[in-house]
Amino acid sequence: MIGQYLKRGLLAFSAAAALFMAAHGESKAQDKKFKIYLSLSYSGNDWQTEAANIVKALAATPPYDKLVDLREVISGTDVQAQISAYESMIADKADGVISFPVSPTALNRTIRKGCKAGVLFFMYDATVTEPCAYNVSYITSGFGENTAQALVNMLGGKGIIFENRGVPGNSVDKRHVLGAEAIFKKYPNIHIVATYYGMWSAQTSQQETAKALIAHPEVTGIWSEYGEEGVLKAVLASKRSELFPITGEDSNAFRLALIDPALKARGFTGASSGSPPATAGYAFKIMMEVLTKKRNLAIHNIEYPLPWVPADKVKVCPGDEFENGCNVFPKDKVTDSFTTEVFEPVLLPELTMKTALTGLPKPGATIQPLPAALHPAPLEPGINCGHCEPPADLYKLTKVQPAVH
Amino acid sequence: MTKTSPSEHATAAPVPEASAKATAARSGFRIGPEGWTTLALFGLTVFMILASRLISSGFGSWQQAQAILLLSSFTIVLGFGQGLVILIGGLDLSVGVVMTLGGILAYRWIGTSLVALFWAIPCILLVTGCVGAINGLGATLLRLPPFIMTLATSLIIYGVFLGFTGGQPRGVASPALTSAYTSTFAGLPVILWLLLIFIILATLVQSHSSFGRRLYAVGTSPMAAYIAGLPVRLLIVAAYAISGATSGLAGILLVGYATGATLTMGQSYLLPSVAAVVVGGASILGGRGTYLATVGGALLLTTLSTIIEALGLAEGWRTVIYGLVIMLALLALRENMGIGWALTPKFRNTASRSRPGGAGHKPNKTGGNG
């Protein structure tokens, strides 16, 4: 008796289970989402957060909100941690990985393994030399040489300068400095009296600059990578009456200072360029177009246009959106170290300042298609290819021309 | 570097070290070996500042000295807490993260309000002090090795504020804190006066209070201190709590200096805080060291890095020189074989009196407690 009930019960249960599984499988097939991992190297600065927020906001913008299952993995600045993060993503059968890579070479083996398993790897800002990965970056667009030339122009071809570098041994820092020094060495009257590492941190840059200013109060210009806002603070804290030109990256405080009438009157000027967090959004959109079969991507190295804002082009945004070429926000809206390059009117009309701050989509926005032709990046050994010949005009100027000889 | 040869040191009698230490701890008027170490550190710092005029025209000025004092302020404040923890035979690896915590809270709570300054700073010191106390409880009640306990705390705290801030600390740098670094009082930046008050108070606590003497006792031998009836666990927890609070204070100051906060702002101060204490002649095993010597160590290290930067060498060489000079300073200032010891009048007396072939004494005689 009991046995019969048990049998019947079991039958009913298995039938129900079969039904459930069929129904579930069907629904899964209907709204199959692309499983995409966002792999961050977390260094705790505003830049990384903004880049991640931009990707999150785009993934939540229609129609991608129905197409994308985005998972964020923060693996720190340690290469081993990122390798194991990639390994788990491959094991989890990800459709795509969008990532800020910690090293240009150390991740190659894992990426190759992922490519074979059918995972798309898109790198933003920093790059890898593995040919099967896609690099979307401004690195090759000439930050170092253009800012160096702008500084030389502002100094009239002669001066005593500091170099505030990034992280020692990092390929991006090396590329920037090689570009800058290719320009500086053309001018025998430009003397680099101090080179120090600001570690791409405003505080470290401030302290290192303060030290260099004690040793060389006669300085007449500073060339800086990310951290320029700290460089400026150190210069202002040194209580000198006359200021001098500083070139740096895209922090909000630095851009606001460039149009500060009091500082301008004391001789401060400069140019703002460098790494845009918007690159992450661009990389994500390209990846989605490839995944949704809207684009057949033949090139693996795509260049993001170099942001270029000399002092006379700084313009405050009245609201949170891109209007009339505005490129900086009022002091009370964002932090000093907020990286302003979160807009790209052609490539990324879906973004506002809020998307970069919160990771939430712009209300009412839908994803707009990218232009048909993407700008290929030149090959640079150690940056985006292992053993390749760089172009002869590697450090050619694109944003500024020599004004002095 | 020393006035006497090593063989003479080896023959020095062990007695003066202990008695000199006791006098250094009990009265500030007689200068023991630790006092001489401190003087040697300050002397070396002043000498380096003056001599650096040869390297660059901007050096050797009062301007430079002032800038070095400003840059050292964070390590000087951190060094007090770290020094107390090292004194009791521990090590606080969480100072960097707790400093960041202090900075983030100051950035968020104080803002532009002057009133907030009065409630927020005590609150921040309380929070960071509690973090320190947790370190102390882990080290005493759970018997975890201090470096593991403090490392674990720092990982947890980092995780908490990473989640709490979403990666981006929000807030405003307090204008009052900033003006401590920019405005002057009687010709000196306000922060230097505050720092002076801090140093005096800290010295009184460490070297001229019964609390300080008890910490020395715990550091020299916890077992002996326990048998003598001292509340050893409570003292250890108190040392860690003070270290937490001074880390928080250093974070508040850093917000004033850098007018901003990031999640990694305190990271680069961990090693200098340990180095300043050790260069100041404290034994890493506990029981020995004074706060003034730590201040001297902090000033020496900052001066050194400033001067090395001006040499115009490649980064690699700069780091090599920095490491070598620290090593030399440690050798030269070692209590039983260096400047501090050689300058002690007592030592000179005993050295001349000592019999040849007398029993040598082991280094760190009073320091080892394990």
Side-chain angles (χ1 to χ4, degrees), chain B residues 10 14 17 33 52 54 79 85 88 94 97-98 125 135 144 146 160 166 188 192 222 239 267-268 298 305 311 318 337:
Chain B
E17 185 177 286
S52 61
L54 298 171
V85 171
I88 51 131
S94 69
V97 170
V98 178
L125 297 185
N135 280 331
L144 290 169
V160 168
L188 278 182
L192 293 188
Q267 218 173 45
S268 54
S305 70
L311 291 174
R318 270 187 250 166
M337 201 188 112

Side-chain angles (χ1 to χ4, degrees), chain A residues 312-335:
Chain A
D312 57 348
K313 291 279 173 355
V314 177
K315 199 169 171 196
V316 180
C317 293
D320 297 346
E321 302 204 19
F322 179 82
E323 291 171 57
N324 303 324
C326 74
N327 46 37
V328 68
F329 303 98
K331 199 174 164 48
D332 53 339
K333 281 207 164 165
V334 291
T335 60

Side-chain angles (χ1 to χ4, degrees), chain A residues 93-168:
Chain A
K93 299 200 167 39
D95 294 295
V97 172
I98 178 156
S99 175
F100 178 94
V102 185
S103 154
T105 49
L107 301 157
N108 286 358
R109 249 171 76 106
T110 317
I111 294 174
R112 211 173 308 140
K113 184 176 158 193
C115 288
K116 280 189 189 138
V119 184
L120 280 181
F121 276 90
F122 271 75
M123 304 297 163
Y124 62 83
D125 196 68
T127 51
V128 294
T129 55
E130 169 53 46
C132 82
Y134 297 88
N135 293 312
V136 182
S137 176
Y138 81 105
I139 288 175
T140 50
S141 64
F143 165 79
E145 49 272 31
N146 282 295
T147 48
Q149 187 64 57
L151 185 62
V152 169
N153 290 354
M154 286 182 265
L155 291 171
K158 59 174 193 286
I160 296 162
I161 62 167
F162 298 164
E163 275 180 351
N164 178 34
R165 299 185 64 159
V167 173

Side-chain angles (χ1 to χ4, degrees), chain A residues 281-323:
Chain A
Y282 186 45
F284 179 71
K285 279 178 73 174
I286 301 174
M287 177 194 244
M288 285 308 296
E289 290 192 349
V290 173
L291 278 175
T292 53
K293 308 260 186 307
K294 288 192 177 125
R295 178 180 294 275
N296 189 11
L297 194 56
I299 50 173
H300 279 254
N301 290 308
I302 300 135
E303 190 169 277
Y304 188 89
L306 182 69
W308 188 255
V309 183
D312 57 348
K313 291 279 173 355
V314 177
K315 199 169 171 196
V316 180
C317 293
D320 297 346
E321 302 204 19
F322 179 82
E323 291 171 57

Side-chain angles (χ1 to χ4, degrees), chain B residues 274-301:
Chain B
V274 181
V277 174
V278 176
V279 168
S283 163
I284 199 79
L285 300 170
R288 207 178 66 197
T290 64
Y291 180 54
L292 274 183
T294 303
V295 174
L299 291 175
L300 182 73
L301 290 175

Side-chain angles (χ1 to χ4, degrees), chain A residues 67-377:
Chain A
L67 292 173
V68 177
D69 173 14
L70 185 75
R71 296 169 190 195
E72 188 185 8
V73 176
I74 299 173
S75 53
T77 48
D78 178 24
V79 182
Q80 275 311 319
Q82 197 163 34
I83 289 175
S84 60
Y86 280 7
E87 290 282 357
S88 339
M89 294 167 194
I90 297 164
D92 195 31
K93 299 200 167 39
D95 294 295
V97 172
I98 178 156
S99 175
F100 178 94
V102 185
S103 154
T105 49
L107 301 157
N108 286 358
R109 249 171 76 106
T110 317
I111 294 174
R112 211 173 308 140
K113 184 176 158 193
C115 288
K116 280 189 189 138
V119 184
L120 280 181
F121 276 90
F122 271 75
M123 304 297 163
Y124 62 83
D125 196 68
T127 51
V128 294
T129 55
E130 169 53 46
C132 82
Y134 297 88
N135 293 312
V136 182
S137 176
Y138 81 105
I139 288 175
T140 50
S141 64
F143 165 79
E145 49 272 31
N146 282 295
T147 48
Q149 187 64 57
L151 185 62
V152 169
N153 290 354
M154 286 182 265
L155 291 171
K158 59 174 193 286
I160 296 162
I161 62 167
F162 298 164
E163 275 180 351
N164 178 34
R165 299 185 64 159
V167 173
N170 184 288
S171 59
V172 179
D173 167 70
K174 195 174 160 198
R175 167 65 183 83
H176 288 342
V177 171
L178 285 176
E181 288 182 349
I183 301 295
F184 289 140
K185 74 169 187 225
K186 290 187 201 158
Y187 297 90
N189 291 324
I190 293 282
H191 302 288
I192 305 172
V193 290
T195 300
Y196 46 89
Y197 289 87
M199 310 301 286
W200 290 328
S201 141
Q203 275 132 24
T204 313
S205 298
Q206 183 179 354
Q207 298 203 358
E208 296 300 304
T209 306
K211 289 182 195 166
L213 282 169
I214 308 166
H216 302 284
E218 72 280 15
V219 65
T220 59
I222 300 180
W223 177 90
S224 173
E225 294 182 21
Y226 188 92
E228 71 286 343
E229 161 218 350
V231 170
L232 177 64
K233 278 176 184 161
V235 172
L236 294 179
S238 71
K239 302 228 165 99
R240 55 194 64 224
S241 54
E242 282 182 29
L243 301 176
F244 45 73
I246 299 172
T247 62
E249 298 209 11
D250 310 315
S251 64
N252 205 63
F254 181 63
R255 285 202 179 165
L256 283 179
L258 286 173
I259 49 169
D260 183 328
L263 297 182
K264 269 160 90 172
R266 288 163 66 190
F268 174 58
T269 183
S272 164
S273 178
S275 174
T279 317
Y282 186 45
F284 179 71
K285 279 178 73 174
I286 301 174
M287 177 194 244
M288 285 308 296
E289 290 192 349
V290 173
L291 278 175
T292 53
K293 308 260 186 307
K294 288 192 177 125
R295 178 180 294 275
N296 189 11
L297 194 56
I299 50 173
H300 279 254
N301 290 308
I302 300 135
E303 190 169 277
Y304 188 89
L306 182 69
W308 188 255
V309 183
D312 57 348
K313 291 279 173 355
V314 177
K315 199 169 171 196
V316 180
C317 293
D320 297 346
E321 302 204 19
F322 179 82
E323 291 171 57
N324 303 324
C326 74
N327 46 37
V328 68
F329 303 98
K331 199 174 164 48
D332 53 339
K333 281 207 164 165
V334 291
T335 60
D336 283 357
S337 53
F338 182 83
T339 306
T340 48
E341 284 296 329
V342 291
F343 292 149
E344 196 354 278
V346 181
L347 304 174
L348 299 156
E350 307 87 352
L351 299 180
T352 71
M353 183 257 281
K354 283 266 159 62
T355 55
L357 278 180
T358 60
L360 299 172
K362 173 178 164 184
T366 53
I367 297 289
Q368 302 300 308
L370 290 168
L374 303 179
H375 194 285

Side-chain angles (χ1 to χ4, degrees), chain A residues 42-44 46 49 195-197 203 206-208 210-212 214-217 233 238-239 333 335-336 338 357, chain B residues 56 58-59 64 67 71 74 158 162 166-168 170 182 257-260 262-265 269 305 309-310 315 318:
Chain A
Y42 201 85
S43 58
D46 290 23
T49 317
T195 300
Y196 46 89
Y197 289 87
Q203 275 132 24
Q206 183 179 354
Q207 298 203 358
E208 296 300 304
K211 289 182 195 166
I214 308 166
H216 302 284
K233 278 176 184 161
S238 71
K239 302 228 165 99
K333 281 207 164 165
T335 60
D336 283 357
F338 182 83
L357 278 180
Chain B
S56 161
F59 276 164
Q64 180 201 10
L71 286 172
F74 316 109
Y158 183 78
L162 179 61
Q168 228 172 332
R170 318 276 304 141
T182 51
Y257 176 76
T259 61
T262 64
L263 293 189
T264 49
M265 62 193 285
Y269 293 94
S305 70
E309 191 153 278
E315 173 74 5
R318 270 187 250 166

